[in-house]
Amino acid sequence: MSHKTLLRTGPLLQGGVSPYGPLRLPGEHGLVLPSGFHGRQVARSGHKVAELTWHSAPDGGACFPDGGGWIYVSNSELPLLGGASALRFRADGSVADAYRILSGTDLNCAGGATPWHTWLSCELGHRGRVFECDPYGARAARPRLAMGRFKHEAAACDPERRVVYMTEDEPDGCFYRFRPGDWGDLTEGTLEVLCASGRWRAVPSPAALRQEARHQVEDARHFDGGDGCHYAGGVCYFTTKGDAGLWAYDAQTSTLDRLCSGVRAITAAPSGDLYVARETTQIDVIAPDREVTPFLRLEGHDGAELTGLAFSPDGDRLYFSARRGRTEGHTFEVAGPFRA
């Protein structure tokens, strides 16, 4: 978890000087980075990586510790053949293995990592499910039906309040949280929805057999297409597709702020800096003092969406994918002197 937090009040400050300096000329694969950083492509849709054919439509992702190395997990937003795959890295950064951790599911868009080192892969289809997956590949994935049946987009765990926040990709989607009966076990619990009053109310029927979950609570607050979601330092950040908004739900004060527009995906570094993927092929950094500056740009991938932003456990490498439609996808790693 980040050890610094974005200042809780005040506007975002655009156009300052990046903590990493100006962007250089494009390098390999079109990556435009600050001095001292270097990038590489670690996987490409339809191509082999460590004997695994990397999936199409790479979307949400997360990293997990693995001894001296680490694992990067990536969802596949394909209908019926979605699921998720994992890349295992050695301590020197070389790829040791690649394997599937979830197969035969539908439109696995985003998701979220848990504090107990599992991956929550979310289905985007009608009455979609949340699957809890083992990034290490030792245990079979399991559906967590108590977390509701709706167009799940992303999930973010709040270990302080012991809840999991979730977004819903509908034009009138809601912002949910799941309270498990036992933290660390997501098989049972209470699904709640954020209401216009700022309070949370239980969804009467999470299975949504007769009525959509978002329509079951009269004063539920609605958002234009819930998208990415990330929790850091007492705040759950999430984005909305319809207006490309970046929102911040302060769990300590139960307040909600719309920070800016033009954002699709988000993650946080151990420094407390937020890294946000724009609607263009650019990633910006938002410092704890709320200053927004460019971090990288990807050239030669016009029309691509940047997805799956995630830092390695030590915070030295940033992973993300550039996907165009449901066929072309490139997964990248950027390494360098990220702020501690």
Side-chain angles (χ1 to χ4, degrees), residues 53-208:
T53 300
W54 194 240
H55 55 265
S56 296
D59 208 283
C63 284
F64 301 86
D66 184 44
W70 60 94
I71 292 169
Y72 176 68
V73 165
S74 171
N75 270 353
S76 172
E77 195 186 338
L78 284 179
L80 304 178
L81 300 173
S85 301
L87 293 174
R88 175 175 275 123
F89 293 90
R90 300 183 182 93
D92 64 1
S94 60
V95 176
D97 197 8
Y99 47 92
R100 296 283 284 176
I101 62 170
L102 178 64
S103 298
T105 51
D106 186 40
L107 295 168
N108 295 83
C109 198
T114 69
W116 49 93
H117 296 159
T118 60
W119 168 245
L120 302 179
S121 183
C122 297
E123 285 186 316
L124 189 59
H126 176 64
R127 301 192 71 246
R129 299 159 293 179
V130 175
F131 282 81
E132 188 169 14
C133 310
D134 176 16
Y136 305 96
R139 300 186 306 275
R142 293 286 183 267
R144 300 307 185 198
L145 301 181
M147 300 181 78
R149 301 293 300 273
F150 53 87
K151 285 189 176 182
H152 284 276
E153 180 71 40
C157 289
D158 176 350
E160 297 163 86
R161 276 146 289 275
R162 298 191 167 189
V163 299
V164 183
Y165 301 103
M166 296 179 289
T167 55
E168 180 180 25
D169 188 5
E170 295 275 10
D172 59 345
C174 290
F175 184 51
Y176 300 90
R177 72 180 183 186
F178 179 69
R179 290 185 173 276
D182 183 12
W183 186 237
D185 181 356
L186 303 177
T187 55
E188 296 181 349
T190 302
L191 180 67
E192 299 176 325
V193 64
L194 181 66
C195 295
S197 64
R199 302 187 61 168
W200 294 89
R201 290 182 57 189
V203 176
S205 178

Side-chain angles (χ1 to χ4, degrees), residues 200-249:
W200 294 89
R201 290 182 57 189
V203 176
S205 178
L209 293 174
R210 296 186 177 182
Q211 187 179 29
E212 302 287 355
R214 67 188 186 280
H215 297 150
Q216 292 182 27
V217 175
E218 186 175 353
D219 62 336
R221 182 162 181 173
H222 298 279
F223 300 88
D224 192 356
D227 203 358
C229 189
H230 187 85
Y231 175 86
V235 179
C236 184
Y237 303 94
F238 66 95
T239 63
T240 45
K241 289 180 181 176
D243 55 5
L246 173 61
W247 301 75
Y249 175 74

Side-chain angles (χ1 to χ4, degrees), residues 272-295:
D273 294 327
L274 301 179
Y275 286 75
V276 296
R278 293 294 190 174
E279 291 182 287
T280 60
T281 53
Q282 179 170 307
I283 294 177
D284 288 350
V285 57
I286 305 177
D289 63 4
R290 303 177 77 93
E291 191 166 66
V292 186
T293 54
F295 171 69

Side-chain angles (χ1 to χ4, degrees), residues 29 41-58 85-87 95 97-100 327-331:
H29 303 295
Q41 179 177 276
V42 294
R44 182 179 177 183
S45 297
H47 292 247
K48 292 281 189 180
V49 52
E51 303 305 316
L52 175 77
T53 300
W54 194 240
H55 55 265
S56 296
S85 301
L87 293 174
V95 176
D97 197 8
Y99 47 92
R100 296 283 284 176
T327 54
E328 185 179 350
H330 303 257
T331 300

